[in-house]
Amino acid sequence: MSRGRPSADGPEPAGNSRVLTLLVRHRRGVQVALDSLAWAVAVPLASLLRFDFRAEELQPARLALYVAFAWVVQMLVGAREGLYRGRFSFGSFEEVAAVARTAVVVTGLGAVVNHFAFPDPLPRSVPFIALFFALFLMCAFRYGWRLSLERARRPSAETAQPTIVFGAGEGAHQLVTSMLRDPASPYLPVALLDDDPRKGNLHLRGIPVEGDRHAMRAAAERHGATTLIIAVPSASPELMRDLSALASEAQLQVKVLPPVRELLGDAPTVGDVRPLSEADLLGRHEIKTDLESIAGYLSGKRVLVTGAGGSIGSELCRQIYRFAPDELVMLDRDESALHAVELSIHGRALLD
């Protein structure tokens, strides 16, 4: 299985989201502009709050000087933190942490320079009040940006199959995220199921857990689902068989997320989903038989099969007979079973 390395924020938005696509392509410049705007709003707002919203107390010149200083430090420290080099995903925890570190440095340096270097300093509390406003605005910009991108990348309900995902663990979380961030995904998650009662109120990417496996039929009817994806990489064969039976009753096609050993250490994605196989239900892989090598040590030989009347032994006898042994001896204490096996092989059964 070949895997390309996706960008930190997934594929670009498709459809009519041209504005978002343009913003993604010019991400660095847009982020610089938004962070500058955050400080330009935060500092005057902090001053207004400090002066009990008496606008006549504000002095535009000293506000502009502090804002300009904050811009310069924000760009330098932010670049060092990787904010403007595409290092982080939009609105990720890592990016928020970098924004917070940068804002704290801007505030600390700004407070020192404002007190000791500015000829007409701002009140000492203004830089610290501005920190909270600026941090809130910068994080809000990024979170709103991320939500807009996720909505634009969400697969269309007209082209994707409404899908129920069984499992609400880490594998299911990564799978649901992959489905909702891929506009070409053939699956649109509409509900989650999990047998763990502690996950009854859980939501993954806004998709709710609506019960255990026995709620499958009701969830399928409620959402018009057509597919069930078993997103439990460590699922036992017994669980697979039970879920397959319940899905058949709910008229759902069954897909599975492969075991962890088959994912090569990568996070599961939509491309990993495959149809349910006999190996999943049996709990073991299909054995490929080299018929030519078998024929080499059976043809012309005298072969004894014990337990020849049983289900496995009888099938062995039928298969061995295909390779023309010199003599096939079938041994079993059940005479009726031997009679049936010989009849199926020779068309007559004399027990000779």
Side-chain angles (χ1 to χ4, degrees):
M1 183 190 304
S2 63
R3 289 172 174 265
R5 178 182 174 85
S7 67
D9 301 294
E12 291 187 353
N16 57 0
S17 304
R18 295 181 179 179
V19 174
L20 285 174
T21 302
L22 187 63
L23 289 176
V24 171
R25 291 178 179 174
H26 300 280
R27 171 181 175 176
R28 299 177 187 177
V30 172
Q31 286 184 309
V32 168
L34 291 177
D35 290 347
S36 300
L37 178 62
W39 285 108
V41 171
V43 175
L45 189 58
S47 298
L48 274 175
L49 187 64
R50 168 64 178 77
F51 291 116
D52 297 326
F53 295 95
R54 297 192 302 272
E56 63 275 8
E57 298 286 343
L58 301 181
Q59 296 184 19
R62 63 179 181 176
L63 289 177
L65 182 61
Y66 186 88
V67 169
F69 175 82
W71 284 352
V72 173
V73 179
Q74 175 73 31
M75 297 310 107
L76 294 175
V77 179
R80 181 179 179 83
E81 288 286 344
L83 289 177
Y84 312 121
R85 293 187 290 177
R87 181 182 296 178
F88 307 108
S89 298
F90 290 111
S92 64
F93 289 112
E94 293 82 3
E95 186 179 35
V96 170
V99 169
R101 289 193 297 269
T102 302
V104 168
V105 173
V106 171
T107 300
L109 292 177
V112 172
V113 172
N114 173 67
H115 181 71
F116 292 103
F118 284 1
D120 187 15
L122 294 170
R124 295 180 182 179
S125 61
V126 169
F128 300 99
I129 298 173
L131 166 65
F132 295 100
F133 287 128
L135 187 58
F136 171 79
L137 289 173
M138 287 188 286
C139 291
F141 286 149
R142 285 165 170 80
Y143 185 67
W145 191 335
R146 177 175 177 171
L147 287 181
S148 299
L149 287 173
E150 289 184 352
R151 290 194 186 100
R153 290 168 178 156
R154 191 182 182 95
S156 171
E158 299 176 357
T159 58
Q161 305 171 31
T163 300
I164 296 174
V165 177
F166 182 84
E170 184 60 28
H173 192 179
Q174 293 173 339
L175 178 63
V176 168
T177 299
S178 175
M179 287 191 284
L180 292 179
R181 289 184 176 179
D182 184 0
S185 170
Y187 311 109
L188 177 63
V190 294
L192 296 165
L193 300 176
D194 198 288
D195 288 340
D196 187 348
R198 295 173 296 179
K199 297 178 180 178
N201 296 319
L202 184 66
H203 286 65
L204 300 182
R205 295 289 176 183
I207 309 301
V209 176
E210 299 191 359
D212 59 13
R213 71 182 78 178
H214 301 292
M216 187 184 303
R217 186 168 186 172
E221 293 175 351
R222 183 163 50 251
H223 297 284
T226 59
T227 303
L228 171 72
I229 295 180
I230 304 174
V232 184
S234 59
S236 66
E238 293 78 12
L239 176 61
M240 289 285 193
R241 290 194 292 267
D242 192 19
L243 292 175
S244 179
L246 292 171
S248 179
E249 294 177 4
Q251 298 183 344
L252 297 173
Q253 296 181 0
V254 183
K255 309 288 183 179
V256 297
L257 196 62
V260 175
R261 63 179 180 274
E262 297 181 17
L263 295 176
L264 304 178
D266 294 321
T269 65
V270 177
D272 294 315
V273 175
R274 58 169 173 75
L276 184 69
S277 67
E278 292 83 356
D280 297 316
L281 298 174
L282 294 174
R284 57 179 182 268
H285 292 289
E286 180 183 0
I287 299 175
K288 301 296 184 180
T289 304
D290 186 351
L291 296 180
E292 292 185 0
S293 63
I294 291 177
Y297 66 79
L298 289 179
S299 298
K301 304 294 179 62
R302 288 178 294 173
V303 181
L304 169 65
V305 178
T306 61
S311 58
I312 296 176
S314 61
E315 182 60 28
L316 271 175
C317 292
R318 283 187 284 268
Q319 296 292 335
I320 291 171
Y321 185 74
R322 295 171 49 199
F323 299 106
D326 181 61
E327 187 176 16
L328 174 59
V329 180
M330 298 181 289
L331 178 65
D332 200 290
R333 60 184 176 182
D334 187 338
E335 185 175 338
S336 298
L338 281 177
H339 182 276
V341 177
E342 189 176 11
L343 184 63
S344 68
I345 294 176
H346 299 291
R348 58 184 177 82
L350 303 178
L351 293 180
D352 54 354

